[in-house]
PDB file of all heavy atoms in Angstrom:
ATOM      1  N   LYS A  14       0.161  -2.555  -8.775  1.00  0.00           N
ATOM      2  CA  LYS A  14       0.495  -3.274  -7.497  1.00  0.00           C
ATOM      3  C   LYS A  14       2.012  -3.164  -7.167  1.00  0.00           C
ATOM      4  O   LYS A  14       2.408  -2.959  -6.043  1.00  0.00           O
ATOM      5  CB  LYS A  14       0.136  -4.732  -7.570  1.00  0.00           C
ATOM      6  CG  LYS A  14      -1.408  -4.952  -7.444  1.00  0.00           C
ATOM      7  CD  LYS A  14      -1.748  -6.355  -7.298  1.00  0.00           C
ATOM      8  CE  LYS A  14      -1.881  -7.077  -8.711  1.00  0.00           C
ATOM      9  NZ  LYS A  14      -2.429  -8.410  -8.720  1.00  0.00           N
ATOM     10  N   PHE A  15       2.854  -3.276  -8.223  1.00  0.00           N
ATOM     11  CA  PHE A  15       4.304  -3.196  -8.082  1.00  0.00           C
ATOM     12  C   PHE A  15       4.631  -1.812  -7.437  1.00  0.00           C
ATOM     13  O   PHE A  15       5.396  -1.741  -6.419  1.00  0.00           O
ATOM     14  CB  PHE A  15       4.984  -3.356  -9.367  1.00  0.00           C
ATOM     15  CG  PHE A  15       6.483  -3.087  -9.284  1.00  0.00           C
ATOM     16  CD1 PHE A  15       7.326  -4.043  -8.809  1.00  0.00           C
ATOM     17  CD2 PHE A  15       6.970  -1.875  -9.735  1.00  0.00           C
ATOM     18  CE1 PHE A  15       8.635  -3.818  -8.753  1.00  0.00           C
ATOM     19  CE2 PHE A  15       8.345  -1.613  -9.632  1.00  0.00           C
ATOM     20  CZ  PHE A  15       9.247  -2.560  -9.133  1.00  0.00           C
ATOM     21  N   LEU A  16       4.043  -0.749  -8.003  1.00  0.00           N
ATOM     22  CA  LEU A  16       4.353   0.578  -7.493  1.00  0.00           C
ATOM     23  C   LEU A  16       3.726   0.769  -6.096  1.00  0.00           C
ATOM     24  O   LEU A  16       4.332   1.378  -5.240  1.00  0.00           O
ATOM     25  CB  LEU A  16       3.745   1.598  -8.450  1.00  0.00           C
ATOM     26  CG  LEU A  16       4.207   3.043  -8.332  1.00  0.00           C
ATOM     27  CD1 LEU A  16       5.765   3.155  -8.259  1.00  0.00           C
ATOM     28  CD2 LEU A  16       3.666   3.858  -9.485  1.00  0.00           C
ATOM     29  N   ALA A  17       2.613   0.170  -5.801  1.00  0.00           N
ATOM     30  CA  ALA A  17       1.978   0.284  -4.489  1.00  0.00           C
ATOM     31  C   ALA A  17       2.889  -0.486  -3.439  1.00  0.00           C
ATOM     32  O   ALA A  17       3.012   0.066  -2.300  1.00  0.00           O
ATOM     33  CB  ALA A  17       0.586  -0.313  -4.450  1.00  0.00           C
ATOM     34  N   TYR A  18       3.438  -1.621  -3.761  1.00  0.00           N
ATOM     35  CA  TYR A  18       4.303  -2.297  -2.855  1.00  0.00           C
ATOM     36  C   TYR A  18       5.551  -1.395  -2.567  1.00  0.00           C
ATOM     37  O   TYR A  18       6.117  -1.342  -1.442  1.00  0.00           O
ATOM     38  CB  TYR A  18       4.736  -3.663  -3.407  1.00  0.00           C
ATOM     39  CG  TYR A  18       3.752  -4.731  -3.163  1.00  0.00           C
ATOM     40  CD1 TYR A  18       2.938  -5.330  -4.144  1.00  0.00           C
ATOM     41  CD2 TYR A  18       3.574  -5.214  -1.822  1.00  0.00           C
ATOM     42  CE1 TYR A  18       2.006  -6.299  -3.878  1.00  0.00           C
ATOM     43  CE2 TYR A  18       2.581  -6.221  -1.568  1.00  0.00           C
ATOM     44  CZ  TYR A  18       1.820  -6.760  -2.588  1.00  0.00           C
ATOM     45  OH  TYR A  18       0.975  -7.706  -2.374  1.00  0.00           O
ATOM     46  N   LYS A  19       6.106  -0.754  -3.581  1.00  0.00           N
ATOM     47  CA  LYS A  19       7.208   0.064  -3.512  1.00  0.00           C
ATOM     48  C   LYS A  19       6.950   1.246  -2.550  1.00  0.00           C
ATOM     49  O   LYS A  19       7.693   1.560  -1.685  1.00  0.00           O
ATOM     50  CB  LYS A  19       7.684   0.611  -4.863  1.00  0.00           C
ATOM     51  CG  LYS A  19       8.933   1.434  -4.854  1.00  0.00           C
ATOM     52  CD  LYS A  19       9.394   1.760  -6.210  1.00  0.00           C
ATOM     53  CE  LYS A  19       9.073   3.147  -6.530  1.00  0.00           C
ATOM     54  NZ  LYS A  19       9.537   3.602  -7.796  1.00  0.00           N
ATOM     55  N   LEU A  20       5.767   1.878  -2.686  1.00  0.00           N
ATOM     56  CA  LEU A  20       5.365   2.930  -1.827  1.00  0.00           C
ATOM     57  C   LEU A  20       5.151   2.485  -0.373  1.00  0.00           C
ATOM     58  O   LEU A  20       5.492   3.132   0.596  1.00  0.00           O
ATOM     59  CB  LEU A  20       4.104   3.559  -2.299  1.00  0.00           C
ATOM     60  CG  LEU A  20       4.167   4.600  -3.450  1.00  0.00           C
ATOM     61  CD1 LEU A  20       2.888   5.203  -3.707  1.00  0.00           C
ATOM     62  CD2 LEU A  20       5.171   5.661  -3.049  1.00  0.00           C
ATOM     63  N   HIS A  21       4.686   1.231  -0.282  1.00  0.00           N
ATOM     64  CA  HIS A  21       4.517   0.635   1.075  1.00  0.00           C
ATOM     65  C   HIS A  21       5.888   0.581   1.811  1.00  0.00           C
ATOM     66  O   HIS A  21       6.031   0.886   2.963  1.00  0.00           O
ATOM     67  CB  HIS A  21       3.886  -0.693   1.044  1.00  0.00           C
ATOM     68  CG  HIS A  21       3.489  -1.288   2.328  1.00  0.00           C
ATOM     69  ND1 HIS A  21       4.385  -2.039   3.108  1.00  0.00           N
ATOM     70  CD2 HIS A  21       2.377  -1.197   3.094  1.00  0.00           C
ATOM     71  CE1 HIS A  21       3.804  -2.408   4.181  1.00  0.00           C
ATOM     72  NE2 HIS A  21       2.599  -1.871   4.228  1.00  0.00           N
ATOM     73  N   GLY A  22       6.929   0.167   1.081  1.00  0.00           N
ATOM     74  CA  GLY A  22       8.263   0.133   1.609  1.00  0.00           C
ATOM     75  C   GLY A  22       8.772   1.521   2.001  1.00  0.00           C
ATOM     76  O   GLY A  22       9.365   1.684   3.055  1.00  0.00           O
ATOM     77  N   ILE A  23       8.432   2.526   1.245  1.00  0.00           N
ATOM     78  CA  ILE A  23       8.844   3.881   1.617  1.00  0.00           C
ATOM     79  C   ILE A  23       8.121   4.376   2.904  1.00  0.00           C
ATOM     80  O   ILE A  23       8.739   4.889   3.801  1.00  0.00           O
ATOM     81  CB  ILE A  23       8.607   4.907   0.458  1.00  0.00           C
ATOM     82  CG1 ILE A  23       9.494   4.632  -0.723  1.00  0.00           C
ATOM     83  CG2 ILE A  23       8.764   6.331   0.896  1.00  0.00           C
ATOM     84  CD1 ILE A  23       9.168   5.367  -1.970  1.00  0.00           C
ATOM     85  N   ALA A  24       6.804   4.038   2.972  1.00  0.00           N
ATOM     86  CA  ALA A  24       6.061   4.403   4.141  1.00  0.00           C
ATOM     87  C   ALA A  24       6.557   3.706   5.375  1.00  0.00           C
ATOM     88  O   ALA A  24       6.667   4.269   6.440  1.00  0.00           O
ATOM     89  CB  ALA A  24       4.601   4.083   3.882  1.00  0.00           C
ATOM     90  N   THR A  25       6.947   2.501   5.211  1.00  0.00           N
ATOM     91  CA  THR A  25       7.490   1.670   6.315  1.00  0.00           C
ATOM     92  C   THR A  25       8.852   2.255   6.744  1.00  0.00           C
ATOM     93  O   THR A  25       9.137   2.418   7.967  1.00  0.00           O
ATOM     94  CB  THR A  25       7.649   0.159   5.917  1.00  0.00           C
ATOM     95  OG1 THR A  25       6.386  -0.286   5.559  1.00  0.00           O
ATOM     96  CG2 THR A  25       8.231  -0.622   7.109  1.00  0.00           C
ATOM     97  N   LEU A  26       9.720   2.545   5.834  1.00  0.00           N
ATOM     98  CA  LEU A  26      11.077   3.063   6.119  1.00  0.00           C
ATOM     99  C   LEU A  26      10.895   4.424   6.920  1.00  0.00           C
ATOM    100  O   LEU A  26      11.614   4.590   7.892  1.00  0.00           O
ATOM    101  CB  LEU A  26      11.830   3.363   4.826  1.00  0.00           C
ATOM    102  CG  LEU A  26      13.157   4.089   4.945  1.00  0.00           C
ATOM    103  CD1 LEU A  26      14.153   3.182   5.744  1.00  0.00           C
ATOM    104  CD2 LEU A  26      13.731   4.483   3.625  1.00  0.00           C
ATOM    105  N   PHE A  27       9.994   5.296   6.483  1.00  0.00           N
ATOM    106  CA  PHE A  27       9.821   6.565   7.141  1.00  0.00           C
ATOM    107  C   PHE A  27       8.874   6.495   8.302  1.00  0.00           C
ATOM    108  O   PHE A  27       8.546   7.527   8.825  1.00  0.00           O
ATOM    109  CB  PHE A  27       9.437   7.634   6.111  1.00  0.00           C
ATOM    110  CG  PHE A  27      10.555   8.048   5.220  1.00  0.00           C
ATOM    111  CD1 PHE A  27      10.839   7.440   4.119  1.00  0.00           C
ATOM    112  CD2 PHE A  27      11.360   9.108   5.642  1.00  0.00           C
ATOM    113  CE1 PHE A  27      11.940   7.810   3.300  1.00  0.00           C
ATOM    114  CE2 PHE A  27      12.490   9.505   4.881  1.00  0.00           C
ATOM    115  CZ  PHE A  27      12.768   8.837   3.719  1.00  0.00           C
ATOM    116  N   GLN A  28       8.398   5.268   8.608  1.00  0.00           N
ATOM    117  CA  GLN A  28       7.499   5.042   9.744  1.00  0.00           C
ATOM    118  C   GLN A  28       6.233   5.909   9.675  1.00  0.00           C
ATOM    119  O   GLN A  28       5.789   6.553  10.654  1.00  0.00           O
ATOM    120  CB  GLN A  28       8.269   5.300  11.109  1.00  0.00           C
ATOM    121  CG  GLN A  28       9.425   4.356  11.269  1.00  0.00           C
ATOM    122  CD  GLN A  28      10.198   4.609  12.504  1.00  0.00           C
ATOM    123  OE1 GLN A  28       9.923   5.509  13.309  1.00  0.00           O
ATOM    124  NE2 GLN A  28      11.200   3.840  12.775  1.00  0.00           N
ATOM    125  N   ILE A  29       5.638   5.927   8.513  1.00  0.00           N
ATOM    126  CA  ILE A  29       4.456   6.737   8.215  1.00  0.00           C
ATOM    127  C   ILE A  29       3.375   5.626   8.327  1.00  0.00           C
ATOM    128  O   ILE A  29       2.879   5.147   7.311  1.00  0.00           O
ATOM    129  CB  ILE A  29       4.430   7.388   6.891  1.00  0.00           C
ATOM    130  CG1 ILE A  29       5.705   8.299   6.652  1.00  0.00           C
ATOM    131  CG2 ILE A  29       3.177   8.306   6.804  1.00  0.00           C
ATOM    132  CD1 ILE A  29       5.847   8.868   5.312  1.00  0.00           C
ATOM    133  N   SER A  30       2.973   5.293   9.553  1.00  0.00           N
ATOM    134  CA  SER A  30       2.120   4.140   9.733  1.00  0.00           C
ATOM    135  C   SER A  30       0.712   4.295   9.158  1.00  0.00           C
ATOM    136  O   SER A  30       0.171   3.287   8.656  1.00  0.00           O
ATOM    137  CB  SER A  30       1.973   3.821  11.236  1.00  0.00           C
ATOM    138  OG  SER A  30       1.460   4.944  11.925  1.00  0.00           O
ATOM    139  N   ASP A  31       0.166   5.511   9.103  1.00  0.00           N
ATOM    140  CA  ASP A  31      -1.113   5.666   8.484  1.00  0.00           C
ATOM    141  C   ASP A  31      -1.087   5.393   6.980  1.00  0.00           C
ATOM    142  O   ASP A  31      -1.997   4.703   6.401  1.00  0.00           O
ATOM    143  CB  ASP A  31      -1.816   6.967   8.794  1.00  0.00           C
ATOM    144  CG  ASP A  31      -0.869   8.196   8.436  1.00  0.00           C
ATOM    145  OD1 ASP A  31       0.306   8.063   8.298  1.00  0.00           O
ATOM    146  OD2 ASP A  31      -1.507   9.312   8.292  1.00  0.00           O
ATOM    147  N   PHE A  32      -0.075   5.842   6.298  1.00  0.00           N
ATOM    148  CA  PHE A  32       0.080   5.517   4.871  1.00  0.00           C
ATOM    149  C   PHE A  32       0.370   4.105   4.592  1.00  0.00           C
ATOM    150  O   PHE A  32      -0.089   3.539   3.706  1.00  0.00           O
ATOM    151  CB  PHE A  32       1.138   6.433   4.223  1.00  0.00           C
ATOM    152  CG  PHE A  32       0.790   7.885   4.087  1.00  0.00           C
ATOM    153  CD1 PHE A  32       1.635   8.772   3.651  1.00  0.00           C
ATOM    154  CD2 PHE A  32      -0.520   8.281   4.395  1.00  0.00           C
ATOM    155  CE1 PHE A  32       1.321  10.102   3.457  1.00  0.00           C
ATOM    156  CE2 PHE A  32      -0.917   9.608   4.250  1.00  0.00           C
ATOM    157  CZ  PHE A  32       0.085  10.585   3.771  1.00  0.00           C
ATOM    158  N   SER A  33       1.164   3.518   5.506  1.00  0.00           N
ATOM    159  CA  SER A  33       1.443   2.108   5.332  1.00  0.00           C
ATOM    160  C   SER A  33       0.167   1.250   5.470  1.00  0.00           C
ATOM    161  O   SER A  33      -0.013   0.345   4.617  1.00  0.00           O
ATOM    162  CB  SER A  33       2.471   1.651   6.436  1.00  0.00           C
ATOM    163  OG  SER A  33       2.754   0.360   6.371  1.00  0.00           O
ATOM    164  N   ALA A  34      -0.684   1.644   6.417  1.00  0.00           N
ATOM    165  CA  ALA A  34      -1.952   0.914   6.543  1.00  0.00           C
ATOM    166  C   ALA A  34      -2.856   1.184   5.336  1.00  0.00           C
ATOM    167  O   ALA A  34      -3.504   0.241   4.900  1.00  0.00           O
ATOM    168  CB  ALA A  34      -2.625   1.389   7.847  1.00  0.00           C
ATOM    169  N   MET A  35      -2.880   2.443   4.868  1.00  0.00           N
ATOM    170  CA  MET A  35      -3.731   2.709   3.639  1.00  0.00           C
ATOM    171  C   MET A  35      -3.169   1.846   2.479  1.00  0.00           C
ATOM    172  O   MET A  35      -4.058   1.352   1.787  1.00  0.00           O
ATOM    173  CB  MET A  35      -3.584   4.178   3.307  1.00  0.00           C
ATOM    174  CG  MET A  35      -4.393   5.107   4.074  1.00  0.00           C
ATOM    175  SD  MET A  35      -4.104   6.742   3.317  1.00  0.00           S
ATOM    176  CE  MET A  35      -4.974   7.711   4.536  1.00  0.00           C
ATOM    177  N   LEU A  36      -1.911   1.801   2.316  1.00  0.00           N
ATOM    178  CA  LEU A  36      -1.368   1.063   1.161  1.00  0.00           C
ATOM    179  C   LEU A  36      -1.650  -0.445   1.341  1.00  0.00           C
ATOM    180  O   LEU A  36      -1.921  -1.090   0.345  1.00  0.00           O
ATOM    181  CB  LEU A  36       0.116   1.301   1.037  1.00  0.00           C
ATOM    182  CG  LEU A  36       0.454   2.663   0.368  1.00  0.00           C
ATOM    183  CD1 LEU A  36       1.787   3.143   0.676  1.00  0.00           C
ATOM    184  CD2 LEU A  36       0.127   2.688  -1.124  1.00  0.00           C
ATOM    185  N   THR A  37      -1.639  -0.953   2.516  1.00  0.00           N
ATOM    186  CA  THR A  37      -1.947  -2.349   2.728  1.00  0.00           C
ATOM    187  C   THR A  37      -3.374  -2.563   2.281  1.00  0.00           C
ATOM    188  O   THR A  37      -3.636  -3.485   1.555  1.00  0.00           O
ATOM    189  CB  THR A  37      -1.716  -2.744   4.177  1.00  0.00           C
ATOM    190  OG1 THR A  37      -0.443  -2.649   4.509  1.00  0.00           O
ATOM    191  CG2 THR A  37      -2.255  -4.142   4.438  1.00  0.00           C
ATOM    192  N   ARG A  38      -4.268  -1.674   2.644  1.00  0.00           N
ATOM    193  CA  ARG A  38      -5.704  -1.791   2.325  1.00  0.00           C
ATOM    194  C   ARG A  38      -5.877  -1.645   0.763  1.00  0.00           C
ATOM    195  O   ARG A  38      -6.618  -2.431   0.153  1.00  0.00           O
ATOM    196  CB  ARG A  38      -6.486  -0.758   3.028  1.00  0.00           C
ATOM    197  CG  ARG A  38      -7.946  -0.850   2.859  1.00  0.00           C
ATOM    198  CD  ARG A  38      -8.675   0.060   3.751  1.00  0.00           C
ATOM    199  NE  ARG A  38     -10.126   0.034   3.436  1.00  0.00           N
ATOM    200  CZ  ARG A  38     -10.934   1.050   3.618  1.00  0.00           C
ATOM    201  NH1 ARG A  38     -10.440   2.218   4.055  1.00  0.00           N
ATOM    202  NH2 ARG A  38     -12.232   0.973   3.287  1.00  0.00           N
ATOM    203  N   ILE A  39      -5.153  -0.748   0.161  1.00  0.00           N
ATOM    204  CA  ILE A  39      -5.248  -0.504  -1.251  1.00  0.00           C
ATOM    205  C   ILE A  39      -4.732  -1.753  -1.975  1.00  0.00           C
ATOM    206  O   ILE A  39      -5.423  -2.175  -3.002  1.00  0.00           O
ATOM    207  CB  ILE A  39      -4.398   0.776  -1.656  1.00  0.00           C
ATOM    208  CG1 ILE A  39      -5.150   2.032  -1.223  1.00  0.00           C
ATOM    209  CG2 ILE A  39      -4.183   0.756  -3.217  1.00  0.00           C
ATOM    210  CD1 ILE A  39      -4.327   3.303  -1.331  1.00  0.00           C
ATOM    211  N   ILE A  40      -3.682  -2.296  -1.561  1.00  0.00           N
ATOM    212  CA  ILE A  40      -3.090  -3.548  -2.230  1.00  0.00           C
ATOM    213  C   ILE A  40      -4.061  -4.664  -2.084  1.00  0.00           C
ATOM    214  O   ILE A  40      -4.279  -5.430  -3.109  1.00  0.00           O
ATOM    215  CB  ILE A  40      -1.732  -3.858  -1.604  1.00  0.00           C
ATOM    216  CG1 ILE A  40      -0.718  -2.850  -2.033  1.00  0.00           C
ATOM    217  CG2 ILE A  40      -1.329  -5.305  -2.119  1.00  0.00           C
ATOM    218  CD1 ILE A  40       0.611  -2.905  -1.251  1.00  0.00           C
ATOM    219  N   GLU A  41      -4.715  -4.803  -0.976  1.00  0.00           N
ATOM    220  CA  GLU A  41      -5.726  -5.867  -0.768  1.00  0.00           C
ATOM    221  C   GLU A  41      -6.877  -5.639  -1.805  1.00  0.00           C
ATOM    222  O   GLU A  41      -7.292  -6.606  -2.431  1.00  0.00           O
ATOM    223  CB  GLU A  41      -6.295  -5.887   0.666  1.00  0.00           C
ATOM    224  CG  GLU A  41      -5.270  -6.375   1.634  1.00  0.00           C
ATOM    225  CD  GLU A  41      -5.701  -6.119   3.128  1.00  0.00           C
ATOM    226  OE1 GLU A  41      -6.766  -5.508   3.329  1.00  0.00           O
ATOM    227  OE2 GLU A  41      -4.964  -6.672   3.946  1.00  0.00           O
ATOM    228  N   HIS A  42      -7.346  -4.465  -1.968  1.00  0.00           N
ATOM    229  CA  HIS A  42      -8.431  -4.207  -2.894  1.00  0.00           C
ATOM    230  C   HIS A  42      -7.951  -4.375  -4.321  1.00  0.00           C
ATOM    231  O   HIS A  42      -8.777  -4.863  -5.167  1.00  0.00           O
ATOM    232  CB  HIS A  42      -8.995  -2.742  -2.749  1.00  0.00           C
ATOM    233  CG  HIS A  42      -9.920  -2.611  -1.560  1.00  0.00           C
ATOM    234  ND1 HIS A  42     -11.199  -2.843  -1.705  1.00  0.00           N
ATOM    235  CD2 HIS A  42      -9.684  -2.417  -0.266  1.00  0.00           C
ATOM    236  CE1 HIS A  42     -11.819  -2.735  -0.495  1.00  0.00           C
ATOM    237  NE2 HIS A  42     -10.923  -2.422   0.372  1.00  0.00           N
ATOM    238  N   MET A  43      -6.596  -4.087  -4.620  1.00  0.00           N
ATOM    239  CA  MET A  43      -6.168  -4.337  -5.944  1.00  0.00           C
ATOM    240  C   MET A  43      -6.151  -5.831  -6.279  1.00  0.00           C
ATOM    241  O   MET A  43      -6.461  -6.223  -7.406  1.00  0.00           O
ATOM    242  CB  MET A  43      -4.704  -3.721  -6.060  1.00  0.00           C
ATOM    243  CG  MET A  43      -4.638  -2.267  -6.195  1.00  0.00           C
ATOM    244  SD  MET A  43      -2.897  -1.778  -6.072  1.00  0.00           S
ATOM    245  CE  MET A  43      -2.953  -0.439  -7.229  1.00  0.00           C
ATOM    246  N   GLU A  44      -5.750  -6.584  -5.297  1.00  0.00           N
ATOM    247  CA  GLU A  44      -5.679  -8.076  -5.436  1.00  0.00           C
ATOM    248  C   GLU A  44      -7.053  -8.606  -5.839  1.00  0.00           C
ATOM    249  O   GLU A  44      -7.163  -9.518  -6.563  1.00  0.00           O
ATOM    250  CB  GLU A  44      -5.136  -8.714  -4.159  1.00  0.00           C
ATOM    251  CG  GLU A  44      -3.724  -8.427  -3.831  1.00  0.00           C
ATOM    252  CD  GLU A  44      -2.700  -9.136  -4.757  1.00  0.00           C
ATOM    253  OE1 GLU A  44      -3.048 -10.138  -5.416  1.00  0.00           O
ATOM    254  OE2 GLU A  44      -1.597  -8.647  -4.834  1.00  0.00           O
ATOM    255  N   ARG A  45      -8.105  -7.999  -5.214  1.00  0.00           N
ATOM    256  CA  ARG A  45      -9.478  -8.481  -5.406  1.00  0.00           C
ATOM    257  C   ARG A  45     -10.127  -7.742  -6.604  1.00  0.00           C
ATOM    258  O   ARG A  45     -11.278  -8.069  -6.944  1.00  0.00           O
ATOM    259  CB  ARG A  45     -10.280  -8.310  -4.183  1.00  0.00           C
ATOM    260  CG  ARG A  45      -9.897  -9.066  -3.011  1.00  0.00           C
ATOM    261  CD  ARG A  45     -10.912  -8.976  -1.884  1.00  0.00           C
ATOM    262  NE  ARG A  45     -11.308  -7.651  -1.592  1.00  0.00           N
ATOM    263  CZ  ARG A  45     -11.025  -6.969  -0.449  1.00  0.00           C
ATOM    264  NH1 ARG A  45     -10.255  -7.525   0.462  1.00  0.00           N
ATOM    265  NH2 ARG A  45     -11.501  -5.780  -0.287  1.00  0.00           N
ATOM    266  N   GLU A  46      -9.321  -6.871  -7.181  1.00  0.00           N
ATOM    267  CA  GLU A  46      -9.856  -5.991  -8.267  1.00  0.00           C
ATOM    268  C   GLU A  46     -11.189  -5.305  -7.902  1.00  0.00           C
ATOM    269  O   GLU A  46     -12.151  -5.277  -8.655  1.00  0.00           O
ATOM    270  CB  GLU A  46     -10.038  -6.865  -9.577  1.00  0.00           C
ATOM    271  CG  GLU A  46      -8.675  -7.337 -10.088  1.00  0.00           C
ATOM    272  CD  GLU A  46      -8.745  -8.063 -11.435  1.00  0.00           C
ATOM    273  OE1 GLU A  46      -9.772  -7.961 -12.140  1.00  0.00           O
ATOM    274  OE2 GLU A  46      -7.823  -8.772 -11.747  1.00  0.00           O
ATOM    275  N   SER A  47     -11.108  -4.744  -6.726  1.00  0.00           N
ATOM    276  CA  SER A  47     -12.314  -4.052  -6.158  1.00  0.00           C
ATOM    277  C   SER A  47     -12.576  -2.743  -6.801  1.00  0.00           C
ATOM    278  O   SER A  47     -11.598  -2.052  -7.197  1.00  0.00           O
ATOM    279  CB  SER A  47     -12.018  -3.836  -4.635  1.00  0.00           C
ATOM    280  OG  SER A  47     -12.932  -2.985  -4.104  1.00  0.00           O
ATOM    281  N   ASP A  48     -13.788  -2.428  -6.894  1.00  0.00           N
ATOM    282  CA  ASP A  48     -14.250  -1.154  -7.427  1.00  0.00           C
ATOM    283  C   ASP A  48     -13.868   0.015  -6.492  1.00  0.00           C
ATOM    284  O   ASP A  48     -13.970   1.195  -6.915  1.00  0.00           O
ATOM    285  CB  ASP A  48     -15.740  -1.103  -7.728  1.00  0.00           C
ATOM    286  CG  ASP A  48     -16.070  -2.029  -8.868  1.00  0.00           C
ATOM    287  OD1 ASP A  48     -15.240  -2.425  -9.711  1.00  0.00           O
ATOM    288  OD2 ASP A  48     -17.305  -2.425  -8.925  1.00  0.00           O
TER     289      ASP A  48
END
């Protein structure tokens, strides 16, 4: 999760909105420990 949040920051800085959205979704699934 720490690394995913870091990547989310990079995606935001470079305005890569599709990756930012993917990382948000990935982080949400990590929080729920989703399969």
Side-chain angles (χ1 to χ4, degrees):
K14 284 188 274 189
F15 173 79
L16 196 49
Y18 277 110
K19 185 172 103 174
L20 280 185
H21 188 271
I23 292 170
T25 301
L26 174 67
F27 284 90
Q28 299 177 359
I29 310 171
S30 58
D31 54 339
F32 286 174
S33 179
M35 279 183 189
L36 284 160
T37 297
R38 187 171 174 211
I39 288 167
I40 291 166
E41 288 171 354
H42 280 271
M43 289 173 143
E44 293 286 339
R45 295 190 313 248
E46 297 184 16
S47 168
D48 292 338

